[in-house]
Amino acid sequence: MEIDPNSDRPVFKQIADHFRDLIDRGELAPGAALPSEAQLSRTFGVAGGTARRALEVLRSEGLVVTEHGRGTRVRERGPMLRLASQRLTRANRAAGLGGFAADMRSLGLDYKQEMLHLGEVPAPRRIAERLNIEEGSPVFVRRRRMWGGGEPMQLADSYYPLDLIEGTPITEENAGPGGSYARLEERGHRLASFREELQARMPSEDEKKALRLLPGVPVVALVRTAIDTGGRAVEVFDSVMSADKHLFQYDFAAD
Amino acid sequence: MEIDPNSDRPVFKQIADHFRDLIDRGELAPGAALPSEAQLSRTFGVAGGTARRALEVLRSEGLVVTEHGRGTRVRERGPMLRLASQRLTRANRAAGLGGFAADMRSLGLDYKQEMLHLGEVPAPRRIAERLNIEEGSPVFVRRRRMWGGGEPMQLADSYYPLDLIEGTPITEENAGPGGSYARLEERGHRLASFREELQARMPSEDEKKALRLLPGVPVVALVRTAIDTGGRAVEVFDSVMSADKHLFQYDFAAD
DNA sequence: CTCCTCTACTGTTATATAGGAGTTGCCGGC
DNA sequence: GCCGGCAACTCCTATATAACAGTAGAGGAG
C-alpha cells in the first residue's frame, strides 16, 4: 500500500481511497474494524489530523461508523424496507392494518408507533396547497414516529381537513382497525387515488436525532395525497425516512 | 452573537448554528457571502481550524458552497425537475422525444446527451435479475450523461437483451425519433408497463465528479424496467441523478 | 486603451501538540 | 468471587503554524 505525498491527490484522500477499495472489494467485511487514528498515522507516516480526515471522508460517505472510545468499523446495513405502491391498494388495506404496520409485518419486524402530537395546527404551505385550502387555516394533524425492529423508521405527519375527522377516532391516539383510511371510507369518502411525491436531501439536526441517523445518511421526504372519488384531497401524509432503510417501488402502465 | 467556549456544545458547532440560523431566517439570502475563515477566526476569537470546521459543517449540510479563492456563499438552488410517472405514457412518448428530452423541454432548458459507452458488456447482477437472464451474460448498453441547462443532470445506462436491438439504431449514437422505446415498439414489443425502483444515497467520488455535485448533496438511483405485452423485460434503465435537482411524482389508483 | 504582473485576499492541505472524554480490561484489595 | 480503581486504549476538540493554490483588483508598461 503506497501513499505518495507528492501526488496531486491529497494524502488524506489517498488513504480514504485505500480503505474504500478494501470495503468495496469485500476485504473489509461489514463490522470489521479499521485501524485506529493513531495506528493509521504511524503506518502511513502522516500526522494524526491527516489520518483523522481520511476516516472523516469515509464517515461522510456512510461507509464506516465510529464510536467514541471504541474505534471505527465498517458499517453494517440493516434490511431494506421495500415500499411498493401496491401496498396501498384496497385489497391490502382491507387486511386490517394501517400501511406502515403492514409493511413492517411483512418484514417480520415488530411495530410500534409513538404519538408526538395530536391536534389542530395552522396548515403549512406545503400541506395547504395539497388540501386546496388557505395557508394557515386550521387542520388536524397526527404527528408520530414509527418504530420497526426497535429502531425509529420514519417521522410521519398526517393532515386532515377538520370537517372530515370530527367525531371519528382519527382524533384519538388509536385510529381504529384499518387505520385512518378505513375511517375516512366509512364516512363516505371512498379513496380513488394517491399521489406520492418524493425528494431526497440531507437531514436536519432534529431529524438526525429523531431518526438516530448515522452521519452521511440522507433522508427521503415523501408526501402522499389521498384523493376521494369526488376528487377531493382528504389526507396529506408528510413523512421523512432514513434513505438507507427504504427503497421505493412503483409499477405503472405504459399507456 | 455569543460563543461560549465552556459550553457542552463544541465551539465549531455553535458557530455553525449561528449561521444556519441566519440562513434559515432568511437574513442571509441565497448568494450572500459568509465571512471568510480568517474573519471568522478574528471575530469569534477562535483558531483558524475551528472557524474552518464550522463552515465545513454548513457545507456538509448543503447550506453553503465555497469556492477556492472566492469565499463561502449561501447556496442558490436551481429549478427542480419534476419527474411524473405520466411522462412515460404512450401519449407523451408519441410526442416524438425521448423521456429525458421531453422533461427538459418542459422546463425550458436546452438538452444534450453525451454518449459515454455504447456496446456489449456482461450483465451486472442488478441488471440480470431484472432482465431475467444470467448474471454476466452479454447485454447491450447505452451509457450516457444527460445535460440540461448547461449542467449535468443524470448518468443513465440503458441495458437491452441482445436479440432485441440487433440491426436497430439503438446500437447507434442516435436511436432515432422517439428514442429507443419507439424502436422497440416498431419491432413488435409493445410496452405494457414500467416498474421504477428508487433509492437515495450519498454519491461515490466518480458520481460526484461526473454530476458536478456539491458536497452534502445526495443522489437518487432510479432503476426502471420496461415490460412488454408478453411480460418480457425489454429494457432496464439504470440512472443516478442529483437529489437536489429532481423530485419524483407518482399517481396511482387506490384500488 | 490594453495587457501584464504584483499583491492581497480567499480557501486547502499538512504538521505538531495539548487536553478532554468514553471504553475496556487488568489487577489488587476485600 | 466480587468490586473498585487504574492504565491504556479509543475518538474529540482546539490551538498554532506553515506552505501552497486559486481569484480579483490595482497599477504600471507598452
Side-chain angles (χ1 to χ4, degrees):
Chain A
M1 179 45 221
E2 307 305 333
I3 293 297
D4 175 6
N6 300 322
S7 158
D8 225 21
R9 191 159 180 78
V11 173
F12 76 94
K13 285 190 184 173
Q14 292 182 53
I15 298 178
D17 290 346
H18 171 61
F19 287 101
R20 190 185 304 107
D21 233 54
L22 292 180
I23 294 170
D24 284 349
R25 293 214 309 265
E27 297 183 30
L28 274 173
L34 273 72
S36 75
E37 293 176 2
Q39 261 171 48
L40 281 181
S41 122
R42 277 192 303 272
T43 67
F44 289 102
V46 298
T50 306
R52 181 169 176 71
R53 274 196 83 178
L55 293 181
E56 214 146 41
V57 169
L58 298 174
R59 270 198 293 278
S60 82
E61 291 174 1
L63 291 177
V64 304
V65 291
T66 122
E67 291 166 275
H68 190 163
R70 303 192 3 106
T72 300
R73 295 180 307 146
V74 179
R75 170 114 164 264
E76 320 217 28
R77 312 196 132 267
M80 270 241 176
L81 193 55
R82 177 181 292 257
L83 299 183
S85 52
Q86 300 89 333
R87 76 192 183 283
L88 292 170
T89 57
R90 180 159 290 108
N92 285 351
R93 297 202 314 272
L97 293 164
F100 184 75
D103 290 333
M104 298 309 303
R105 179 70 58 90
S106 73
L107 262 187
L109 298 175
D110 59 308
Y111 155 84
K112 193 179 72 176
Q113 96 173 6
E114 170 192 0
M115 190 61 67
L116 303 177
H117 184 72
L118 200 57
E120 291 185 22
V121 295
R125 161 91 79 83
R126 184 171 75 266
I127 305 302
E129 280 173 352
R130 290 174 176 76
L131 284 178
N132 274 318
I133 59 175
E134 282 290 306
E135 178 175 354
S137 58
V139 288
F140 191 88
V141 64
R142 294 168 62 86
R143 184 162 288 155
R144 50 218 194 281
R145 176 160 60 164
M146 315 291 219
W147 295 73
E151 294 196 26
M153 297 294 285
Q154 54 174 286
L155 297 171
D157 302 346
S158 289
Y159 293 88
Y160 304 90
L162 292 186
D163 60 303
L164 290 187
I165 47 92
E166 277 170 346
T168 73
I170 291 179
T171 61
E172 326 255 320
E173 177 114 8
N174 184 348
S180 53
Y181 288 155
R183 294 297 85 67
L184 290 171
E185 295 215 316
E186 284 165 13
R187 193 149 178 161
H189 293 278
R190 186 179 169 87
L191 298 184
S193 65
F194 296 105
R195 163 167 292 181
E196 291 195 342
E197 294 160 281
L198 286 85
Q199 195 180 344
R201 55 175 171 76
M202 291 313 279
S204 70
E205 277 290 315
D206 290 344
E207 290 164 343
K208 228 183 222 168
K209 213 175 306 170
L211 292 173
R212 294 199 194 145
L213 294 175
L214 300 170
V217 175
V219 292
V220 174
L222 182 154
V223 180
R224 176 168 61 239
T225 308
I227 313 279
D228 72 7
T229 49
R232 177 173 181 192
V234 294
E235 183 215 35
V236 174
F237 175 81
D238 184 20
S239 67
V240 173
M241 37 200 136
S242 166
D244 71 341
K245 295 200 183 98
H246 294 87
L247 184 153
F248 302 86
Q249 174 185 313
Y250 296 91
D251 292 292
F252 50 97
D255 42 23
Chain B
M1 178 45 221
E2 307 306 330
I3 292 299
D4 174 7
N6 299 321
S7 158
D8 226 21
R9 191 157 181 78
V11 174
F12 75 94
K13 284 190 185 174
Q14 292 182 51
I15 299 178
D17 289 346
H18 171 62
F19 287 101
R20 189 184 304 106
D21 233 55
L22 291 180
I23 294 169
D24 284 350
R25 293 215 308 268
E27 299 185 28
L28 275 173
L34 273 71
S36 75
E37 293 177 3
Q39 262 169 48
L40 281 181
S41 123
R42 277 193 302 270
T43 68
F44 289 101
V46 298
T50 305
R52 181 168 177 70
R53 276 196 81 180
L55 294 180
E56 213 146 40
V57 169
L58 299 174
R59 271 198 291 278
S60 82
E61 291 174 1
L63 290 177
V64 304
V65 293
T66 121
E67 290 167 276
H68 189 167
R70 301 189 7 103
T72 300
R73 294 180 307 144
V74 180
R75 169 114 163 263
E76 321 215 28
R77 311 195 134 269
M80 270 239 175
L81 193 55
R82 176 180 292 256
L83 299 183
S85 52
Q86 300 90 331
R87 75 193 185 281
L88 292 169
T89 56
R90 188 173 315 277
N92 284 351
R93 298 203 314 274
L97 292 164
F100 182 75
D103 290 333
M104 297 310 303
R105 180 68 60 90
S106 73
L107 262 188
L109 297 175
D110 59 306
Y111 155 84
K112 193 177 71 176
Q113 98 172 5
E114 169 191 4
M115 190 60 67
L116 303 176
H117 184 72
L118 201 58
E120 290 184 26
V121 295
R125 162 91 78 82
R126 184 170 76 266
I127 305 303
E129 279 173 353
R130 288 173 177 77
L131 285 177
N132 273 319
I133 60 176
E134 283 288 306
E135 178 177 352
S137 59
V139 289
F140 191 88
V141 65
R142 294 167 61 87
R143 184 163 289 155
R144 51 216 194 282
R145 176 160 60 163
M146 315 291 219
W147 295 71
E151 293 194 27
M153 298 292 286
Q154 55 174 287
L155 297 171
D157 301 347
S158 290
Y159 293 88
Y160 305 90
L162 292 185
D163 61 302
L164 290 187
I165 47 92
E166 277 170 345
T168 73
I170 291 179
T171 60
E172 325 256 318
E173 178 113 8
N174 184 348
S180 53
Y181 288 154
R183 296 296 86 67
L184 289 171
E185 294 215 316
E186 282 166 14
R187 193 147 175 162
H189 293 279
R190 187 179 168 87
L191 297 185
S193 64
F194 297 105
R195 163 168 293 181
E196 292 196 342
E197 294 161 281
L198 285 86
Q199 196 180 343
R201 56 174 171 75
M202 291 312 281
S204 71
E205 276 289 316
D206 290 344
E207 290 164 342
K208 228 184 225 169
K209 210 176 308 168
L211 293 174
R212 295 201 194 142
L213 294 175
L214 301 170
V217 176
V219 292
V220 174
L222 182 154
V223 180
R224 175 168 62 239
T225 309
I227 315 278
D228 72 6
T229 49
R232 177 174 182 192
V234 294
E235 183 214 36
V236 174
F237 175 81
D238 184 19
S239 67
V240 174
M241 36 200 136
S242 166
D244 71 343
K245 295 201 185 96
H246 295 86
L247 184 154
F248 302 85
Q249 173 185 314
Y250 296 91
D251 292 291
F252 50 97
D255 41 24

